[in-house]
Amino acid sequence: MPAIHFYDAITAGKHAAEGQLVRYHSIFVSDDVAPEILMSAIKLRDDVYVDPKEAAKGELALLDLMLGETELEWARTGFKHFMTKDCLHVGFGNSTRLDPYIRYGMYRNLLPYPCIGLPEGSHFLDVETLLRAVALLRPDDFPWPESVRTLPMTAMHHFLMWEAEVNGTNRAILVKETLEKLAAASPKLIEHAIRTSSIEAIKTCLGLDGGEVSDLRSVKPCLMVHPLIPHPRGAILALPLAVDITYPDIVYVADLESDLSSLSDPNVESLQALVRVNPTDLHKPLIRVSLSRAPFCAAIGVVRPKDASRLAVDIRTVLANIEYLRAADHLAARLRDEPILELAAQPADVDHRMWAGDFNQADLLRMQRLHEQPIDQWPSIIASGIEGRFRELGGRLLGRTKPELLSVSEREVLTRHFQNKAAGNFQTPDRLAHLRKQGQDIAIESPNALGLVQLNERLARILG
């Protein structure tokens, strides 16, 4: 692989659509140039709600949240990093906690990373997923004590990243070191994970035909591991059944350890009722897997007989279920014809509508122009946008970057919007009074916690 990009970040805000990165650490390693090491601080936007009590429990309490570049400046750097061709991107918990913040940050700043898809040759690894896979499949290879292997993942992350949290070390270097230890301890498993770290490679591993499920006899049963897979062990033995027609990187698989009688019953009215959301819903055999989250995927032979015994996997049931599904000819046709995916209702606010469909080509070109032209040219570029999302996002971007280019009425609308967001979308007098009092009390209790003091001062400035 020509280049490897290790990265980690600290985020603020409860939701990626309204939050942001406040620290971004990165290291680029390639054969022909010296490593490029970056530690960026990003100023907290005025329209990000941060709960003072929650901030007091974590890293935000001690950070200088007013230090650094703007989110726009970071987004341009991030866009350059993640659009690098033929690059392996490696993070720790990136596919669960970081990448949504990164994607929304680019969307909010009108950089089309999430809109046009990943560049050719993009590969992603989540070290959290690999830790889970090694602990699950090759526990004897796990390069830390058993007491660490059995920790919840948040505690394991804290254990492995403590140096960065205490000393301000570049967290991306620690991600790199963690992957190196895993690769040295379990080389075959990690080599396989790297080979199957792209969406295309995962689809090949699953036996998809041109990215689709043509029939249930040609797809391949696989072990899939990812923290978000709804199973108590975060892993399933799966057979691909269908690819979502709207989002081709979403695959529906059957849990081969489940009772599949309801799935193959032609009298079941709705397949949606069989989709598992919670790990405890083991009676629901259909599982939605997003391949863009780069799950670990391998042939079921990776589960050795002693592993099956340790994990309480009944291989005979698994093999019988594979044949049972392959014989259910009507099921493949129904899965192709009946829509399964029912997205939860999304907030109407434009900041949340990243997945509302791709921007058209003309607006993508406007995005490119926007980042090439001086800022005084932005109002005319934004006003000429075809899609409402582009114009509204552009207006907010302009309001954060150079509000004097907006009219008085436009500035007033944005000011109210930013105030509402900073207050957690609850602009009632009692809510504001409670929030201000909470911020003041916490700042007084922790006068040496710079981040908490700044959050209180920020609320006073924004809310008055």
Side-chain angles (χ1 to χ4, degrees), residues 19-42:
Q20 69 165 86
L21 303 189
V22 292
R23 294 294 184 271
Y24 173 69
H25 294 181
S26 170
I27 175 169
F28 259 96
V29 181
S30 58
D31 293 334
D32 52 351
V33 296
E36 177 188 332
I37 299 174
L38 178 66
M39 294 177 66
S40 296
I42 303 123

Side-chain angles (χ1 to χ4, degrees), residues 221-224 229-241 251-263 274-276 278-289 300 312-314 317-322 324-325 331:
C222 287
L223 171 77
M224 303 189 80
I229 286 178
H231 189 282
R233 69 171 81 102
I236 53 169
L237 291 164
L239 188 75
L241 300 179
V251 176
Y252 285 86
V253 302
D255 181 349
L256 293 171
E257 295 178 82
S258 294
D259 180 354
L260 303 179
S261 56
S262 58
L263 181 60
L274 303 180
V275 177
R276 186 186 306 169
N278 298 312
T280 55
D281 293 338
L282 297 180
H283 62 286
K284 297 182 178 181
L286 268 178
I287 294 178
R288 184 169 65 233
V289 181
I300 60 173
V313 173
D314 186 341
T317 297
V318 169
L319 296 176
N321 276 338
I322 293 170
Y324 181 71
L325 288 172
L331 181 59

Side-chain angles (χ1 to χ4, degrees), residues 22-70:
V22 292
R23 294 294 184 271
Y24 173 69
H25 294 181
S26 170
I27 175 169
F28 259 96
V29 181
S30 58
D31 293 334
D32 52 351
V33 296
E36 177 188 332
I37 299 174
L38 178 66
M39 294 177 66
S40 296
I42 303 123
K43 295 177 185 176
L44 187 63
R45 301 192 325 269
D46 278 355
D47 56 337
V48 176
Y49 168 66
V50 180
D51 185 320
K53 280 191 174 181
E54 291 301 314
K57 299 175 186 177
E59 296 168 295
L60 296 183
L62 302 178
L63 294 180
D64 186 341
L65 300 174
M66 299 299 107
L67 173 72
E69 60 189 351
T70 65

Side-chain angles (χ1 to χ4, degrees), residues 426-451:
F426 294 99
Q427 272 278 26
T428 58
D430 58 333
R431 162 65 181 168
L432 296 180
H434 173 74
L435 186 64
R436 291 286 294 113
K437 180 70 166 55
Q438 187 183 68
Q440 291 167 1
D441 290 346
I442 291 175
I444 291 171
E445 292 168 7
S446 308
N448 296 321
L450 179 59

